[in-house]
Amino acid sequence: MKLDVAGIRRQFPILSAVIDGQPVHYLDNGASAQTPDAVLDAVRTYETTGRANVLRGVHRLAERATEAYEKAREEVAAFLGVMPMEVVFTGGCTAAINLVAYSHGSLLKSGDRIILSELEHHSNIVPWQLLRARSGIEIDVIPVTLDGRIDLEILPRLLTARTRLISLAHVSNVTGALLDVRAVVAAAKTVGARVMLDGAQYAPHGPVDVPGLGVDFYVFAGHKAYGPNGIGVLWARPELLEAMPPFHGGGSMIGRVTFAETTWAPPPRRFEAGTPPIGPAIGLGAACAWMRRLDWPGVHAHEMALVQRLMDGLQEIDGTHILGPASLQNRYPVVSFMLDGVHPHDVAQTLDSFGVAVRAGHHCAQPLMDRFDLDGTTRVSMAPYNDNSDIDALLTGVKHAARTLR
Amino acid sequence: MNDQLYQDRIVALAKARTGAGKLAPPARSARRDNPLCGDRVTIDVRLGDDGRISEIAHQVRGCLLCQASASALASVAVGRDKAGIAALRHDAERAIGREPGEATEPFAAFAPVKSHKSRQDCVLLPFEALGEALG
């Protein structure tokens, strides 16, 4: 059965907005996706009928808040196919990676090695550089292929007996390339290294079979997965979480505090110091529940049809080049392109004048831009609610930029 | 379409590429990056004995606004000293609405940038580089 895109669109109030007389063609989902009524309603219900702090009070509002917060953890766990107590709420995907780099990283020793790739988002580079400065670990980098994939043929050559962790993007936020996770996990096992996936660009495109992936850490962002801002998720194997020291200290993450000694709460509480982002967590729980109800094979086919329409349309415009896989195989609906003679910001600004929202620039992936000697790209990132009219408006705008700005 | 930013005068300034290129050493040189968007401007200047700019050149890896601004700046920089360049910057800031008052040519062309706050730094980046080169 064909996907009911119009029905999905109706659940997103912002998509029916008219801005300066123009409809919204939102194709910047890789930066932040839009939010459906189900999420807005869940947050509003918390704020209007159950707002209180969690895990502290005995009054009814506090109990409602705690119940909703823990229910959200269950929804996220179901989305990932894991146990709720293995899910840590963080301030975002970046915060989750920093948590791992700091906390799991504190267990690494000088001379231990971790492996990243050339296409990583800065959030999966800089926390490891900070760890390197603190503890003397070494960072090895997998290069990318000409079509914007992590070159896994190189990976075996980078593995050593000191390799402790491989941390890679599940889907590139620039090229849309899908990682061959099975190959990475198999390679990691040969040296006993752990694997972490940055799922920021994967999670918005369907439930994640974390057990099936066989990885050790998985992180994603709420606001890219139709949830609120200020919330992210870290999943880790329970024995890894158990071994990790706290990242932040404060309320909620303790067992017993004395001035002589403090003991830690068990995970996930150990990593949720202070009042957590309760409303955003509840919203993310609703987003995960909403996503689990979608027809994902239908959504994937729809998104890939949009990618094909986009790539076909771009090909007809003189001087466009796609940075990333040219085929639909093992790619997700994130498409970066360059237009000869026009800077990506000028393409994006022109598209804005057509009511089309995209991202332009280095996409927090400067090493990847350096690899291809690019100032930046224009990035089109799609979601289930996008339709042909969005792609066609974008193509009209790109043609206008090509005609007027070079 | 609702296009107000890329008016003909700005596009013409960018396409003119006035001062685009490099100066042979010895020349003062400075590079400035905009970490948010990745725009990069390198300005080379040579000063006369009186401290006034005798030659200027720029290399821009950036957007059309940045190119247009570098081109406009190069077209009026020769013969000016540090204070004269500061006066030009005030003019550019007036053009984009960061300072009150009317801007004069060539920076008046940047008036459409007033309503695009996220792009205003693109116009000012060449001034940042030149300021650093002048010390």
Side-chain angles (χ1 to χ4, degrees), chain A residues 143-165:
Chain A
V144 297
T145 60
L146 283 175
D147 66 346
R149 295 186 185 279
I150 297 173
D151 190 350
L152 292 182
E153 286 190 15
I154 307 294
L155 176 57
R157 287 181 236 163
L158 298 177
L159 292 168
T160 73
R162 295 297 300 271
T163 303
R164 298 287 179 254
L165 180 73

Side-chain angles (χ1 to χ4, degrees), chain A residues 138-215:
Chain A
E138 304 285 344
I139 296 172
D140 297 305
V141 182
I142 315 174
V144 297
T145 60
L146 283 175
D147 66 346
R149 295 186 185 279
I150 297 173
D151 190 350
L152 292 182
E153 286 190 15
I154 307 294
L155 176 57
R157 287 181 236 163
L158 298 177
L159 292 168
T160 73
R162 295 297 300 271
T163 303
R164 298 287 179 254
L165 180 73
I166 304 172
S167 184
L168 301 172
H170 197 174
V171 166
S172 164
N173 74 312
V174 178
T175 70
L178 174 68
L179 181 68
D180 182 351
V181 179
R182 192 185 298 261
V184 173
V185 170
K189 278 190 177 155
T190 64
V191 295
R194 306 288 185 186
V195 175
M196 177 158 96
L197 294 185
D198 169 0
Q201 299 295 334
Y202 182 94
H205 301 288
V208 187
D209 176 15
V210 166
L213 291 172
V215 298

Side-chain angles (χ1 to χ4, degrees), chain A residues 14-84:
Chain A
I14 205 167
L15 297 180
S16 57
V18 174
I19 299 177
D20 295 336
Q22 291 174 316
V24 174
H25 296 291
Y26 192 77
L27 292 165
D28 192 19
N29 298 284
S32 261
Q34 297 300 342
T35 303
D37 283 323
V39 172
L40 299 169
D41 291 347
V43 175
R44 185 168 176 79
T45 297
Y46 161 69
E47 297 289 354
T48 55
T49 69
R51 181 181 164 93
N53 213 326
V54 291
L55 305 169
R56 289 166 171 77
V58 295
H59 55 78
R60 277 168 292 176
L61 287 180
E63 290 202 347
R64 276 189 190 179
T66 302
E67 192 180 328
Y69 182 66
E70 292 305 328
K71 174 76 177 150
R73 198 189 305 277
E74 290 171 18
E75 293 288 2
V76 172
F79 178 73
L80 297 177
V82 302
M83 299 302 291

Side-chain angles (χ1 to χ4, degrees), chain B residues 39-41 58 60-71 110 119 121-123 125-126:
Chain B
D39 281 359
R40 174 178 296 178
V41 176
H58 60 80
V60 177
R61 285 192 68 158
C63 66
L64 190 124
L65 296 179
C66 194
Q67 293 171 37
S69 174
S71 184
F110 291 95
R119 306 298 302 279
D121 285 343
C122 307
V123 176
L125 198 62

Side-chain angles (χ1 to χ4, degrees), chain B residues 23 28-33 40-47 51-59 69-89 107 123-135:
Chain B
L23 295 184
R28 294 169 178 241
S29 185
R31 189 183 98 184
R32 274 296 178 99
D33 292 8
R40 174 178 296 178
V41 176
T42 305
I43 299 256
D44 298 343
V45 281
R46 220 185 307 279
L47 302 183
R52 293 175 186 275
I53 294 171
S54 58
E55 282 184 274
I56 183 167
H58 60 80
Q59 302 143 66
S69 174
S71 184
L73 179 57
S75 71
V76 291
V78 172
R80 293 179 185 266
D81 59 10
K82 209 168 160 179
I85 296 300
L88 289 179
R89 179 175 176 136
F107 297 105
V123 176
L124 297 179
L125 198 62
F127 286 93
E128 297 282 336
L130 178 55
E132 193 173 312
L134 292 175

